[in-house]
C-alpha cells in the first residue's frame, strides 16, 4: 500500500518553516556510496544527521564529496565530533556550530555530539546529532549530557536525532523521550524498524523534537521518487529515518 506523501519543505507566510529531517547511520561510507547518495537525495532533506561518518584519512574530503553528491553542504561534525556529521540545505542560515567530544571510557569508542543553531525562514532551532554508546551505563549518561547540551543552546525549539543503540524501551531512549517527543510515536509514517537494513527488526534510530515543533510524519521511507529497496540495502547497514516537521517562527 502506498504511503501518504510526506509534506515538502516550505516557509509559511507567518515565518514558520516546514523542514525535512533525515537521520542515518552510514557505517563510515564503507558500502555503496552511489546508493547512499541516491537515498539521501530522494529524501530531499533540509537537515541531515549522519552517524559513523568517516573519521580518519581525508575524512573532510569524503564528507564534502557526499554533501556535493546530495546537493547539500557540510554544517558541522565529522571526526571532530567522533563521527556524527551534520549536513544542511542552502535554505538554512547557520548561527553557530559546536562539536563536543565526550569523556573517553577506556576500552570503548570515543563519542561526541555535532551541534548547531540554524534558522529556516523565521524559525530558529538547535540541533544535536548523537551516536550513543553500546554500553548501557555510558549510553544513559550520554543521553543526559545530550539533553543538557540542547538546553544550553538556549534555542526556542530543538531537534535531537541519531543512533541511540537501543530500542524505545531502553533507559537512555526513555530518558530522552521524557524530555522530547519521539517523532515516530507522535506521527508514524513509513516503516518503523531501522536495523539491520536487510530484514530490519529493531528501532534504534530516532528523531526527537521539543514540544513546540509540530510533527507531520516520521519513519523509514520507502515510497519516494528515486528511492529503491536495492539502494536502501546497499547504502549501509541501517535504514534512514525521515521526518517532516513544522517549526514555529521565533
Amino acid at each position: 500500500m502506498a504511503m501518504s506523501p510526506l509534506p515538502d519543505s516550505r516557509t509559511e507566510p507567518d515565518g514558520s518553516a516546514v523542514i525535512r529531517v533525515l537521520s542515518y547511520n552510514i557505517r563510515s561510507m564503507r558500502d555503496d556510496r552511489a546508493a547512499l547518495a541516491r537515498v539521501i537525495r530522494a529524501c530531499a532533506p533540509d537537515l541531515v544527521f549522519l552517524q559513523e561518518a568517516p573519521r580518519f584519512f581525508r575524512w573532510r574530503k569524503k564528507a564534502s564529496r557526499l554533501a556535493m553528491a546530495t546537493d547539500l553542504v557540510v554544517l558541522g561534525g565529522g571526526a571532530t565530533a567522533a563521527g556524527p556529521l551534520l549536513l544542511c540545505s542552502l535554505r538554512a542560515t547557520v548561527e553557530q556550530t559546536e562539536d563536543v567530544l565526550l569523556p573517553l571510557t577506556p576500552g570503548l569508542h570515543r563519542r561526541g555530539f555535532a551541534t548547531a543553531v540554524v534558522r529556516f525562514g523565521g524559525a530558529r532551532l538547535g540541533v544535536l546529532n548523537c551516536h550513543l554508546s553500546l554500553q548501557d551505563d555510558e549510553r544513559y549518561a550520554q543521553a543526559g549530557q545530550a539533553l543538557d547540551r540542547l538546553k544550553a543552546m538556549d534555542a526556542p525549539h530543538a531537534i535531537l536525532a541519531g543512533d541511540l543503540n537501543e530500542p524505545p524501551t531502553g533507559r537512555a531512549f526513555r530518558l530522552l523521550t521524557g524530555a522530547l517527543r519521539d517523532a515516530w510515536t507522535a506521527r508514524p509514517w513509513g516503516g518503523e524498524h531501522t536495523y539491520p537494513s536487510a530484514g530490519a527488526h529493531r528501532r534504534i534510530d530516532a528523531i526527537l523534537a521539543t514540544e513546540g515543533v509540530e510533527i507531520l510524519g516520521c519513519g523509514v521511507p520507502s515510497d519516494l521518487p528515486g528511492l529503491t529497496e536495492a539502494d536502501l540495502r546497499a547504502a549501509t547497514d541501517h535504514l534512514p529515518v525521515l521526518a517532516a516537521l513544522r517549526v514555529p517562527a521565533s
Side-chain angles (χ1 to χ4, degrees), residues 23-46:
S23 184
Y24 205 3
N25 183 316
I26 60 171
R27 192 158 68 164
S28 300
M29 293 170 61
R30 293 201 304 264
D31 302 289
D32 186 332
R33 295 183 187 184
L36 176 65
R38 287 192 295 268
V39 169
I40 295 173
R41 267 203 317 273
C43 292
D46 298 289

Side-chain angles (χ1 to χ4, degrees), residues 138-155:
E138 185 178 56
R139 186 165 60 243
Y140 184 75
Q142 289 169 354
Q145 290 163 334
L147 292 174
D148 290 344
R149 180 62 58 163
L150 265 193
K151 209 171 292 179
M153 279 190 239
D154 201 29

Side-chain angles (χ1 to χ4, degrees), residues 85-190:
L85 175 70
L86 289 165
L87 307 180
C88 66
S89 72
L90 293 174
R91 287 185 70 210
T93 300
V94 182
E95 284 194 9
Q96 66 184 65
T97 64
E98 185 178 0
D99 300 332
V100 180
L101 285 175
L102 298 175
L104 177 63
T105 302
L108 297 178
H109 284 300
R110 189 72 183 258
R111 303 280 175 175
F113 304 142
T115 77
V117 178
V118 295
R119 283 184 180 274
F120 293 91
R124 180 172 177 265
L125 71 156
V127 299
L128 186 148
N129 182 7
C130 62
H131 184 188
L132 301 185
S133 175
L134 289 165
Q135 201 274 331
D136 181 66
D137 289 341
E138 185 178 56
R139 186 165 60 243
Y140 184 75
Q142 289 169 354
Q145 290 163 334
L147 292 174
D148 290 344
R149 180 62 58 163
L150 265 193
K151 209 171 292 179
M153 279 190 239
D154 201 29
H157 307 287
I159 299 167
L160 180 152
D163 179 349
L164 306 184
N165 261 324
E166 68 176 27
T169 52
R171 280 199 309 154
F173 207 126
R174 285 186 286 116
L175 180 65
L176 293 171
T177 53
L180 303 167
R181 295 173 72 213
D182 177 4
W184 160 261
T185 301
R187 195 79 182 267
W189 169 92

Side-chain angles (χ1 to χ4, degrees), residues 8-18 91 120-122 214 216 246-247 249:
D8 291 328
S9 307
R10 62 184 184 273
T11 303
E12 306 283 20
D14 65 358
S16 66
V18 174
R91 287 185 70 210
F120 293 91
E214 184 184 355
L216 306 174
R246 181 181 284 110
V247 186

Side-chain angles (χ1 to χ4, degrees), residues 69-80:
T70 54
D71 302 319
L72 300 166
V73 294
V74 174
L75 175 57
T80 46

